[in-house]
């Protein structure tokens, strides 16, 4: 299958559906669930406070947030947030903005919980708790007058909620409301670095964290819809957060903290944003006239920099270090693959069906699946499952339509089928922009393989043959889970 044919399959509607990449999307959802919707006047915040602000329940939600959410979404200063939690448990009055932020923390904690745990913690099932917390965030932000507010807490609440709501929620709504968040952030001046206005170190660092998480929200939600980001580098001058831990900053501090080398609370944000500024935004602008070789060098140089400054100093026996290293190296390998895809897009005949490219794509898919299912890091799988390598899987499928049947292509088909099945299980109904084209490509590849198997007299593929052991994805030995990801170093670094 050539690149032009792959593009036709992905971009063209099927014969039995109208011309729409997400014809099933219901616009009434927009008034039901986000930061600006949900006008259910039969539901009150008094009920939420009475039920969820009980000390034992609030303490459990806060601990869940610290364990499951804070290591990957580093918007808040945990010591400052802990005081808000304590005040709520003591029955003290909170400002509308701080209360909205607490509602958002509750939502994030519930979103990260396994369904079977929720009833024992909150005395309600997870779906009910999600509904309650979502309504509380929406009403809380309205009480805080979010659109015209100058409160950093209200903006933090909205960003935290949307980053978590896109996991299993309405991704089209998240994408639309992320534009509102960007405008509110600009109105608050968060897109300008605090040092330009002589703001204190603590406030400057918190504004930097917030702005760059808004950039990540824009990147993720735009990727969900298959469009370019709304934010461009010329729109702001906010610097990266300093590579420091929460304990290194305090509200009353006057001296600027010294950045550290290696892993800190905020390292995952910094590395992701360096990839965004160094690769994603330039790629959206067309890389100017850079050759494929120069694009590869750009990715390789950034990868080496991130390794030398951060990853080489990680202890990969520590689960969160392994997760952060894996996330970043998958981002880098996906960026390297993108240089190969783009080189073929301009000249179909020159595209190389290179074994190295195919093997790298397959390894990326395997490790992405391992990140979702790893038994050693289950508390972060809720967020990792939302990082779907759509284009990588589409590329593997296109190659499987071209390559002859072999043990290697059989293994590749097993891997993508396993991944596709897991996506189908937890796919938000509004992910149709990319889901439908992938459905068509899966069907096309399955039909192609079945036809060739029939010609060769092979038995048709059986779903029952799929198991973690067969795919080589079920091994939870610590040497595999906390290795140095050597699979990547040979081809990229």
């Amino acid at each position: 299958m050539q690149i032009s044919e792959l593009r036709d399959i992905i971009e063209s509607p099927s014969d039995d559906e109208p011309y729409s990449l997400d014809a099933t999307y219901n616009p009434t959802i927009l008034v039901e669930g986000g930061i600006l919707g949900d006008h259910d006047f039969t539901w009150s915040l008094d009920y939420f406070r009475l039920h969820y602000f009980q000390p034992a329940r609030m303490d459990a939600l806060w601990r869940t947030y610290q364990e499951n959410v804070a290591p990957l979404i580093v918007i808040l200063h945990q010591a400052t947030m802990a005081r808000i939690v304590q005040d709520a448990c003591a029955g003290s009055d909170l400002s509308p903005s701080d209360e909205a932020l607490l509602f958002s923390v509750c939502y994030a904690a519930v979103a990260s919980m396994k369904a079977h745990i929720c009833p024992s913690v909150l005395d309600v099932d997870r779906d009910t708790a999600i509904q309650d917390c979502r309504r509380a965030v929406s009403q809380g932000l309205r009480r805080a007058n979010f659109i015209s507010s100058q409160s950093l807490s209200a903006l933090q609440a909205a960003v935290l909620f949307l980053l978590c709501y896109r996991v299993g929620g309405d991704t089209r709504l998240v994408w639309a409301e992320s534009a509102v968040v960007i405008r509110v952030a600009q109105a608050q001046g968060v897109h300008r670095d605090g040092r330009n206005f002589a703001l204190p170190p603590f406030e400057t660092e918190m504004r930097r964290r917030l702005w760059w998480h808004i950039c990540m929200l824009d990147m993720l939600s735009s990727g969900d819809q298959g469009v370019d980001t709304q934010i461009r580098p010329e729109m702001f001058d906010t610097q990266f957060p300093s590579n420091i831990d929460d304990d290194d900053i305090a509200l009353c501090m006057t001296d600027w903290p010294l950045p550290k080398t290696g892993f800190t609370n905020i390292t995952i944000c910094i590395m992701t944003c360096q990839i965004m500024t160094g690769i994603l935004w330039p790629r959206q602008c067309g890389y100017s006239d850079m050759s494929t070789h120069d694009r590869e060098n750009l990715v390789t140089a950034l990868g080496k920099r991130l390794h030398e400054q951060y990853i080489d100093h990680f202890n990969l026996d520590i689960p969160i270090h392994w997760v952060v290293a894996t996330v970043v190296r998958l981002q880098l390998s996906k960026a390297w693959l993108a240089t190969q895809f783009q080189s073929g897009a301009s000249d179909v005949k020159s595209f190389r069906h290179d074994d190295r490219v195919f093997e790298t794509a397959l390894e990326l898919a395997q490790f992405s699946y391992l990140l979702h299912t790893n038994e050693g890091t289950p508390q972060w799988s809720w967020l990792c499952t939302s990082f779907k390598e759509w284009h990588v899987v589409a590329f593997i499928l296109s190659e499987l339509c071209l390559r002859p049947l072999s043990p290697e292509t059989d293994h590749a088909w097993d891997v993508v089928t396993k991944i596709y099945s897991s996506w189908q299980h937890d796919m938000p109904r509004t992910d149709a922009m990319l889901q439908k084209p992938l459905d068509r490509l899966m069907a096309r590849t399955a039909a192609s393989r079945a036809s060739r198997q029939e010609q060769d007299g092979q038995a048709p593929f059986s779903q029952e043959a799929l198991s973690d052991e067969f795919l080589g994805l079920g091994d939870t030995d610590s040497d595999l889970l906390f290795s140095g990801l050597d699979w990547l170093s040979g081809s990229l670094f």
Side-chain angles (χ1 to χ4, degrees), residues 35 75-76 97-105 137 141 146 152-162 210:
I35 57 176
I75 296 178
L76 308 181
S97 296
D98 283 350
E99 188 176 54
L101 180 56
L102 184 56
F103 295 154
S104 192
V105 166
V137 172
L141 287 172
F146 168 65
L152 212 64
S153 296
L155 187 55
Q156 287 173 322
V159 176
L160 175 60
F161 171 75
L162 289 177
L210 181 55

Side-chain angles (χ1 to χ4, degrees), residues 172-194:
R172 174 65 68 88
L173 178 57
V174 172
W175 174 63
E177 292 195 339
S178 66
V180 177
V181 164
I182 293 169
R183 295 294 176 259
V184 172
Q186 289 175 314
Q188 290 193 23
V190 181
H191 65 307
R192 299 302 181 195
D193 195 75

Side-chain angles (χ1 to χ4, degrees), residues 316-335:
L316 296 179
D317 288 328
I318 300 175
I320 187 58
H321 289 211
W322 180 85
V323 169
V324 171
T326 303
V327 168
V328 171
R329 300 194 75 171
L330 289 176
Q331 290 176 330
L332 289 167
S333 57
K334 185 166 68 171

Side-chain angles (χ1 to χ4, degrees), residues 70-267:
L72 297 180
I73 302 177
V74 199
I75 296 178
L76 308 181
H77 183 247
Q78 293 194 51
T80 302
M81 191 65 218
R83 287 194 290 272
I84 297 175
V85 172
Q86 291 170 0
D87 289 344
C89 291
S92 303
D93 290 334
L94 302 178
S95 70
S97 296
D98 283 350
E99 188 176 54
L101 180 56
L102 184 56
F103 295 154
S104 192
V105 166
C106 292
Y107 178 88
V110 174
S112 73
M113 278 186 188
K114 302 295 184 184
H116 68 277
I117 295 177
C118 202
S120 64
V121 174
L122 300 173
D123 289 335
V124 295
D125 62 80
R126 184 176 180 274
D127 289 343
T128 300
I130 284 284
Q131 282 280 84
D132 287 343
C133 293
R134 181 180 57 74
R135 287 169 172 166
V137 172
S138 180
Q139 291 193 20
L141 287 172
R142 283 205 301 278
R143 288 184 67 249
N145 198 14
F146 168 65
I147 294 296
S148 58
S149 173
Q150 289 298 308
S151 168
L152 212 64
S153 296
L155 187 55
Q156 287 173 322
V159 176
L160 175 60
F161 171 75
L162 289 177
L163 281 169
C164 297
Y165 185 57
R166 68 173 286 274
V167 183
D170 187 335
T171 57
R172 174 65 68 88
L173 178 57
V174 172
W175 174 63
E177 292 195 339
S178 66
V180 177
V181 164
I182 293 169
R183 295 294 176 259
V184 172
Q186 289 175 314
Q188 290 193 23
V190 181
H191 65 307
R192 299 302 181 195
D193 195 75
R195 278 200 162 185
N196 297 338
F197 307 103
L199 295 180
F202 179 83
E203 184 176 353
T204 297
E205 285 296 334
M206 296 311 299
R207 288 164 62 95
R208 288 173 178 175
R209 289 186 182 190
L210 181 55
W211 174 254
W212 282 103
H213 276 84
I214 292 172
C215 292
M216 288 195 289
L217 172 63
D218 180 36
M219 175 186 70
L220 292 168
S221 62
S222 298
D224 290 337
Q225 302 305 315
V227 298
D228 286 346
T229 58
Q230 301 170 71
I231 296 175
R232 294 290 191 273
E234 64 271 12
M235 292 170 52
F236 66 92
D237 60 20
T238 302
Q239 298 179 25
F240 293 132
S242 301
N243 191 42
I244 53 178
D245 290 304
D246 266 17
D247 294 341
D248 298 320
I249 54 175
L251 184 60
C252 58
M253 67 188 300
T254 56
D255 295 329
W256 290 92
L258 295 177
K260 297 179 177 179
T261 299
F263 186 91
T264 70
N265 297 143
I266 196 68
T267 304

Side-chain angles (χ1 to χ4, degrees), residues 10 68 164 209 250 288 338 340 365 482:
I10 291 177
N68 296 359
C164 297
R209 289 186 182 190
S288 300
Q340 310 301 313
F482 304 113

